[in-house]
Amino acid sequence: MQWSEYTTAERLKALRGGMTQEGLAERAKVSVGVVKKLEQGGTASLPSLLSIADALETDIAVLFGQQAPRRAMAVGERAALRLVSAATHDAAIGIPSDVEPGTTAELREAVIRADAAYWAGRYTELGTLLAQLLPEARARWDAAGTAEREAAGGVLVDVFQTAGMAANVWGARDLAYAALTYGRQIAGLIGDDLRDAHLAATTSWVNLRDGRTSQGFALAAAQADRIEPRMSEQDADRWSVYGQLVTNAAVAASRGGAPDDTAREYLSQAHAVAARLSTEHARGGHAQPYGPMYTATQAMSVAVALGDVAHALELMDTTKLDGDLVPLATRARYGLDVAQIHVEVGRGEAAAGQLEEVCRIAPEWVRHQVLPGVIISRLAGAVPVKRLRKLADAAGVPLGVQDRAAATADGTPVPGTWSR
């Protein structure tokens, strides 16, 4: 069931989770009678509702089902998002900065450092870096002479791409689309079709996170056709970006963006590109490394989406990821897919163990993912409720959502699950 399909009384119970009615009333500074009345289907005054929503660390739109619960974002990340949003739009508009920008080479190193923070899930650090990088990269672009303009523009494009990736993880889809569009505009000005295609690949991924699978597929497929390398092409950067596009097309197709056989066709192309590269390669050291291991993780994602359990189990046995070559975020996402397959075949303990491992290695990253909540809800009855609650806390699943899927505060099973 969708969050909006529950009654306000059910949503309040779910959000309250393990907190008692008395505890909620005390925290919200309302009477216990108000809480009980709401959970029995009654009404309350707006001030009381606002106080209850604040006590539950949510807002009234969530309480009334107009918006699904958001996963908790750390204070530092919220501040970072605000800074990145302002810096992104200011850099796009060209608002002058009073900072003396670094050289193009220095800024290129800073971009690579920001990328490393992104892939390691260090989002507060990432936000701080981007808030400084965006105005400096724009200032360097504005000051660049003819000889330096292409290189400076490339740095600015890549900063916009990293900003779009960060915004996507934070759930700020409008900012993600805007940052990537700004980047594509600069790529067009400097005539860099490869960077433009790379930004399109990232945009297609944002579409997937936004539930726009058809749009994500169409964009990735069209851009793949546009930049497809010749067989004699030796440029690893071009093959890497092309591989990312056909992989994104495969994933989008598997999630409903196109027929199943289309997903398999694009995945076959992705494997061929990965084999040609023979190892993981990132364009200019920037963004997602692409190669055989990354393709294997996405093959798992496609198998999960298509319900091809047999192939997914085979991939689990054969896929080996090198932590020196595959970013933490990619390994963690693969771990979630493995956990989901364990759930599909009734291996509750194995699924819980896999999810615990993902939470251990990528504690910040996992709190911005939707899949942990789905896995936890499906583990109801397969593992103890106490363990589910610990998992939900580690994964950043909103307080009470796991209880709604698994049990009420007193341990009584509740039918139905919540999906986002």
Side-chain angles (χ1 to χ4, degrees):
M1 289 178 65
Q2 297 294 324
W3 183 250
S4 60
E5 295 179 72
Y6 292 113
T7 65
T8 299
E10 290 174 325
R11 285 189 290 268
L12 178 55
K13 290 176 184 177
L15 291 166
R16 178 165 62 83
M19 192 189 312
T20 64
Q21 292 178 330
E22 291 76 13
L24 174 57
E26 181 178 357
R27 183 179 295 185
K29 295 181 173 55
V30 300
S31 70
V32 177
V34 169
V35 176
K36 289 182 176 179
K37 183 179 179 182
L38 282 170
E39 292 194 1
Q40 291 169 359
T43 60
S45 67
L46 179 59
S48 293
L49 290 169
L50 291 171
S51 296
I52 289 170
D54 288 344
L56 293 169
E57 298 182 356
T58 187
D59 56 52
I60 197 165
V62 172
L63 192 58
F64 281 108
Q66 296 163 349
Q67 177 178 296
R70 295 186 295 268
R71 282 166 173 74
M73 184 182 287
V75 173
E77 289 183 11
R78 287 198 296 271
L81 176 57
R82 288 194 295 272
L83 289 172
V84 171
S85 179
T88 296
H89 296 303
D90 287 353
I93 296 169
I95 293 178
S97 171
D98 58 4
V99 65
E100 181 66 28
T103 66
T104 298
E106 289 170 341
L107 293 174
R108 164 61 53 206
E109 289 300 315
V111 172
I112 293 174
R113 186 168 177 176
D115 270 358
Y118 171 83
W119 291 110
R122 301 192 304 269
Y123 298 125
T124 301
E125 175 189 347
L126 172 62
T128 302
L129 285 168
L130 287 173
Q132 297 296 316
L133 260 173
L134 283 157
E136 286 200 37
R138 177 64 199 228
R140 175 51 56 203
W141 158 259
D142 288 339
T146 303
E148 189 191 11
R149 194 159 178 79
E150 184 176 341
V155 168
L156 181 56
V157 170
D158 289 348
V159 178
F160 276 131
Q161 183 170 27
T162 303
M165 289 155 49
N168 187 41
V169 163
W170 283 323
R173 303 282 185 263
D174 287 348
L175 177 60
Y177 288 126
L180 295 167
T181 300
Y182 296 150
R184 294 191 72 181
Q185 290 170 345
I186 300 297
L189 289 174
I190 61 175
D192 195 327
D193 72 320
L194 190 58
R195 276 191 167 89
D196 180 62
H198 202 177
L199 286 157
T202 304
T203 304
S204 74
W205 198 256
V206 177
N207 275 306
L208 294 182
R209 286 289 297 262
D210 204 14
R212 293 161 50 87
T213 54
S214 296
Q215 292 88 340
F217 171 77
L219 179 59
Q223 290 293 316
D225 287 344
R226 185 176 72 81
I227 69 151
E228 182 175 3
R230 297 184 300 274
M231 290 305 296
S232 60
E233 177 69 69
Q234 299 299 315
D235 185 354
D237 281 357
R238 183 166 290 272
W239 281 107
S240 176
V241 173
Y242 175 70
Q244 189 71 67
L245 285 163
V246 294
T247 302
N248 287 2
V251 174
S254 73
R255 296 183 186 178
D260 292 356
D261 57 347
T262 302
R264 295 186 174 94
E265 289 170 7
Y266 274 97
L267 187 59
S268 177
Q269 292 182 50
H271 282 301
V273 175
R276 183 183 180 94
L277 285 168
S278 77
T279 189
E280 310 305 296
H281 178 84
R283 176 189 62 76
H286 176 70
Q288 172 71 60
Y290 185 84
M293 284 183 278
Y294 177 74
T295 307
T297 68
Q298 298 310 297
M300 170 67 85
S301 183
V302 169
V304 169
L306 295 179
D308 190 348
V309 175
H311 184 47
L313 290 171
E314 179 184 344
L315 288 168
M316 282 173 53
D317 292 336
T318 58
T319 301
K320 306 298 180 186
L321 303 180
D322 185 337
D324 292 332
L325 297 175
V326 179
L328 176 63
T330 301
R331 287 183 279 128
R333 171 62 208 206
Y334 174 75
L336 291 183
D337 285 332
V338 169
Q340 188 168 1
I341 286 298
H342 281 312
V343 170
E344 291 291 339
V345 297
R347 302 173 183 171
E349 287 294 326
Q354 182 67 53
L355 183 52
E356 286 167 344
E357 176 64 10
V358 171
C359 293
R360 183 188 70 78
I361 67 171
E364 292 186 57
W365 176 89
V366 76
R367 298 179 73 84
H368 295 281
Q369 306 303 308
V370 174
L371 192 52
V374 176
I375 293 168
I376 288 169
S377 70
R378 295 193 61 192
L379 285 175
V383 297
V385 171
K386 184 177 181 180
R387 189 178 185 187
L388 285 183
R389 289 176 177 164
K390 286 183 177 180
L391 276 171
D393 182 63
V397 176
L399 180 65
V401 170
Q402 75 276 14
D403 296 287
R404 175 63 194 162
T408 59
D410 64 2
T412 305
V414 177
T417 58
W418 170 76
S419 61
R420 187 174 181 180

